Amino acid sequence: LLRPALPAGVQLQASLDEQPLTVLADATQLHHMVINLRTNARQALPAEGGRIDVQLNAVLPGMTTDPLPPAGLAAGGYARLRVHDNGCGMDEATQIHAFEPFFTTKPVGSGTGLGLAVVHGIATSMRGLPSVHSAPGQGSNFEVWLPLLDDPTSAAALAPDTPVTAIQRLLAKHVVCVDDD
Protein backbone atom coordinates (compact mmCIF):
# COMPACT_ATOMS: atom_id res chain seq x y z
CA LEU A 1 0.00 0.00 0.00
CA LEU A 2 2.69 2.52 0.96
CA ARG A 3 5.72 1.49 -1.10
CA PRO A 4 4.61 2.29 -4.70
CA ALA A 5 4.24 6.05 -4.13
CA LEU A 6 7.63 6.46 -2.42
CA PRO A 7 10.82 7.36 -4.32
CA ALA A 8 13.49 4.65 -4.58
CA GLY A 9 15.74 6.49 -2.08
CA VAL A 10 13.21 6.16 0.72
CA GLN A 11 13.47 3.04 2.90
CA LEU A 12 10.18 1.72 4.23
CA GLN A 13 10.14 -0.63 7.20
CA ALA A 14 6.92 -2.20 8.50
CA SER A 15 6.52 -3.93 11.84
CA LEU A 16 3.02 -5.32 12.37
CA ASP A 17 1.60 -7.15 15.37
CA GLU A 18 1.28 -10.87 14.67
CA GLN A 19 -2.14 -11.07 16.36
CA PRO A 20 -5.16 -9.52 14.63
CA LEU A 21 -6.10 -6.16 16.15
CA THR A 22 -9.83 -5.49 15.84
CA VAL A 23 -11.16 -1.94 15.94
CA LEU A 24 -14.54 -0.58 14.91
CA ALA A 25 -13.55 1.44 11.85
CA ASP A 26 -14.27 2.09 8.22
CA ALA A 27 -11.59 0.56 5.99
CA THR A 28 -11.63 3.52 3.59
CA GLN A 29 -11.10 5.97 6.43
CA LEU A 30 -8.23 3.88 7.84
CA HIS A 31 -6.66 3.80 4.38
CA HIS A 32 -7.02 7.57 4.06
CA MET A 33 -5.44 8.10 7.48
CA VAL A 34 -2.43 5.87 6.73
CA ILE A 35 -1.87 7.53 3.34
CA ASN A 36 -1.97 11.01 4.93
CA LEU A 37 0.57 9.97 7.58
CA ARG A 38 2.83 8.41 4.93
CA THR A 39 2.59 11.54 2.74
CA ASN A 40 3.42 13.77 5.68
CA ALA A 41 6.43 11.59 6.57
CA ARG A 42 7.67 11.57 2.97
CA GLN A 43 7.46 15.35 2.70
CA ALA A 44 9.58 15.73 5.84
CA LEU A 45 12.44 13.64 4.39
CA PRO A 46 15.42 15.16 2.58
CA ALA A 47 15.38 15.12 -1.23
CA GLU A 48 17.91 12.27 -1.40
CA GLY A 49 15.71 9.94 0.63
CA GLY A 50 15.43 8.76 4.19
CA ARG A 51 13.55 6.22 6.24
CA ILE A 52 9.91 5.71 7.23
CA ASP A 53 9.02 3.12 9.86
CA VAL A 54 5.42 1.97 10.23
CA GLN A 55 4.42 -0.02 13.30
CA LEU A 56 1.13 -1.46 14.44
CA ASN A 57 0.82 -3.05 17.85
CA ALA A 58 -1.57 -3.61 20.75
CA VAL A 59 -1.20 -1.57 23.93
CA LEU A 60 -3.07 -3.22 26.75
CA PRO A 61 -3.83 -1.91 30.26
CA GLY A 62 -0.75 -2.14 32.47
CA MET A 63 1.74 -2.00 29.59
CA THR A 64 4.24 0.84 29.54
CA THR A 65 4.82 2.70 26.29
CA ASP A 66 7.31 5.23 25.07
CA PRO A 67 6.12 7.82 24.36
CA LEU A 68 3.13 7.80 26.69
CA PRO A 69 -0.42 7.61 25.28
CA PRO A 70 -2.07 10.99 24.70
CA ALA A 71 -4.10 12.43 27.55
CA GLY A 72 -7.84 11.96 27.22
CA LEU A 73 -7.95 8.31 26.19
CA ALA A 74 -10.48 6.13 28.00
CA ALA A 75 -9.19 3.13 29.92
CA GLY A 76 -8.80 -0.03 27.89
CA GLY A 77 -6.75 -1.64 25.16
CA TYR A 78 -5.66 0.22 22.03
CA ALA A 79 -4.28 -0.49 18.61
CA ARG A 80 -1.36 1.91 18.15
CA LEU A 81 -0.35 2.87 14.63
CA ARG A 82 3.04 4.59 14.62
CA VAL A 83 4.59 6.31 11.61
CA HIS A 84 8.15 7.52 12.25
CA ASP A 85 10.39 9.38 9.83
CA ASN A 86 14.00 10.51 10.11
CA GLY A 87 13.25 13.82 8.42
CA CYS A 88 13.62 17.42 9.51
CA GLY A 89 11.47 17.14 12.65
CA MET A 90 9.39 19.87 14.28
CA ASP A 91 9.85 22.28 17.14
CA GLU A 92 7.37 22.35 20.02
CA ALA A 93 5.44 25.34 18.64
CA THR A 94 4.83 23.52 15.35
CA GLN A 95 3.74 20.33 17.14
CA ILE A 96 1.09 22.24 19.08
CA HIS A 97 -0.60 23.26 15.80
CA ALA A 98 0.13 20.13 13.73
CA PHE A 99 -3.45 18.78 13.75
CA GLU A 100 -5.17 22.14 13.17
CA PRO A 101 -7.00 22.56 9.84
CA PHE A 102 -5.11 24.70 7.30
CA PHE A 103 -1.93 24.82 9.42
CA THR A 104 1.07 24.11 7.22
CA THR A 105 4.79 24.75 7.29
CA LYS A 106 5.03 24.41 3.52
CA PRO A 107 5.36 27.38 1.16
CA VAL A 108 2.21 28.91 -0.35
CA GLY A 109 0.83 26.60 -3.03
CA SER A 110 2.67 23.52 -1.74
CA GLY A 111 0.27 22.22 0.89
CA THR A 112 -3.24 22.67 2.17
CA GLY A 113 -2.70 21.95 5.85
CA LEU A 114 -5.52 19.42 5.82
CA GLY A 115 -3.72 16.04 5.92
CA LEU A 116 -3.09 15.87 9.66
CA ALA A 117 -6.42 17.55 10.41
CA VAL A 118 -8.10 14.70 8.51
CA VAL A 119 -6.07 12.17 10.54
CA HIS A 120 -7.28 13.86 13.73
CA GLY A 121 -10.91 13.89 12.54
CA ILE A 122 -10.90 10.23 11.53
CA ALA A 123 -9.15 9.09 14.73
CA THR A 124 -11.52 11.01 17.01
CA SER A 125 -14.56 9.76 15.08
CA MET A 126 -13.38 6.25 15.97
CA ARG A 127 -13.02 7.26 19.66
CA GLY A 128 -9.25 7.37 19.35
CA LEU A 129 -6.61 10.08 19.36
CA PRO A 130 -3.54 11.00 17.34
CA SER A 131 -0.33 12.32 18.89
CA VAL A 132 2.99 13.67 17.70
CA HIS A 133 6.46 13.63 19.25
CA SER A 134 9.28 15.33 17.41
CA ALA A 135 12.43 17.42 17.67
CA PRO A 136 14.20 19.52 15.02
CA GLY A 137 16.71 17.42 13.12
CA GLN A 138 15.53 14.17 14.75
CA GLY A 139 12.46 13.28 12.71
CA SER A 140 8.85 12.91 13.77
CA ASN A 141 6.84 10.19 15.43
CA PHE A 142 3.09 10.25 14.73
CA GLU A 143 0.86 7.81 16.57
CA VAL A 144 -2.82 7.03 16.21
CA TRP A 145 -4.47 5.25 19.13
CA LEU A 146 -7.70 3.40 18.31
CA PRO A 147 -9.69 1.45 20.94
CA LEU A 148 -9.58 -2.31 20.55
CA LEU A 149 -12.88 -4.16 20.56
CA ASP A 150 -13.23 -6.38 23.62
CA ASP A 151 -15.16 -8.93 21.58
CA PRO A 152 -13.91 -9.05 17.96
CA THR A 153 -16.97 -11.06 16.90
CA SER A 154 -19.16 -8.04 17.78
CA ALA A 155 -17.68 -6.07 14.86
CA ALA A 156 -19.58 -8.16 12.29
CA ALA A 157 -22.83 -7.67 14.16
CA LEU A 158 -22.35 -3.90 14.47
CA ALA A 159 -21.11 -3.05 11.00
CA PRO A 160 -24.24 -3.30 8.79
CA ASP A 161 -26.68 -1.56 11.15
CA THR A 162 -24.41 0.92 12.94
CA PRO A 163 -25.90 4.44 12.98
CA VAL A 164 -24.18 6.98 10.77
CA THR A 165 -20.98 8.12 12.45
CA ALA A 166 -20.13 11.75 13.08
CA ILE A 167 -17.63 11.82 10.22
CA GLN A 168 -20.18 10.38 7.79
CA ARG A 169 -22.66 13.08 8.83
CA LEU A 170 -19.99 15.70 8.17
CA LEU A 171 -19.23 14.24 4.76
CA ALA A 172 -22.92 14.47 3.84
CA LYS A 173 -22.82 18.26 4.25
CA HIS A 174 -21.45 20.86 1.88
CA VAL A 175 -18.58 23.10 2.87
CA VAL A 176 -17.54 26.16 0.92
CA CYS A 177 -14.10 27.60 1.51
CA VAL A 178 -13.28 30.99 0.01
CA ASP A 179 -9.63 31.99 -0.13
CA ASP A 180 -8.27 35.30 -1.39
CA ASP A 181 -5.49 33.48 -3.26
Side-chain angles (χ1 to χ4, degrees):
L1 171 69
L2 301 176
R3 178 78 243 158
L6 292 174
V10 175
Q11 297 175 14
L12 178 65
Q13 179 67 39
S15 173
L16 308 176
D17 202 304
E18 291 183 18
Q19 299 299 315
L21 304 178
T22 306
V23 298
L24 186 57
D26 177 77
T28 302
Q29 289 178 340
L30 284 174
H31 178 266
H32 196 56
M33 188 168 51
V34 171
I35 293 298
N36 281 345
L37 290 170
R38 185 277 325 260
T39 300
N40 195 69
R42 169 57 193 112
Q43 291 173 345
L45 296 177
E48 64 274 3
R51 182 181 172 105
I52 299 173
D53 294 318
V54 178
Q55 297 173 323
L56 179 64
N57 66 298
V59 178
L60 304 172
M63 292 175 67
T64 57
T65 63
D66 182 33
L68 294 173
L73 287 177
Y78 285 85
R80 178 179 57 179
L81 170 66
R82 178 184 289 181
V83 178
H84 175 78
D85 66 72
N86 68 343
C88 58
M90 295 181 280
D91 60 26
E92 194 170 325
T94 303
Q95 290 177 64
I96 291 170
H97 300 287
F99 296 106
E100 292 178 7
F102 306 109
F103 176 78
T104 183
T105 57
K106 297 175 186 73
V108 174
S110 297
T112 62
L114 290 175
L116 293 176
V118 166
V119 168
H120 184 274
I122 292 171
T124 56
S125 77
M126 296 176 190
R127 296 189 178 121
L129 282 175
S131 65
V132 60
H133 303 279
S134 186
Q138 296 184 16
S140 296
N141 187 50
F142 284 90
E143 296 182 343
V144 177
W145 298 73
L146 299 174
L148 288 169
L149 285 178
D150 292 333
D151 179 13
T153 59
S154 65
L158 288 172
D161 300 317
T162 300
V164 177
T165 65
I167 193 77
Q168 288 169 322
R169 284 193 299 275
L170 287 173
L171 292 174
K173 308 266 188 224
H174 296 279
V175 176
V176 176
C177 178
V178 179
D179 189 341
D180 64 348
D181 237 1

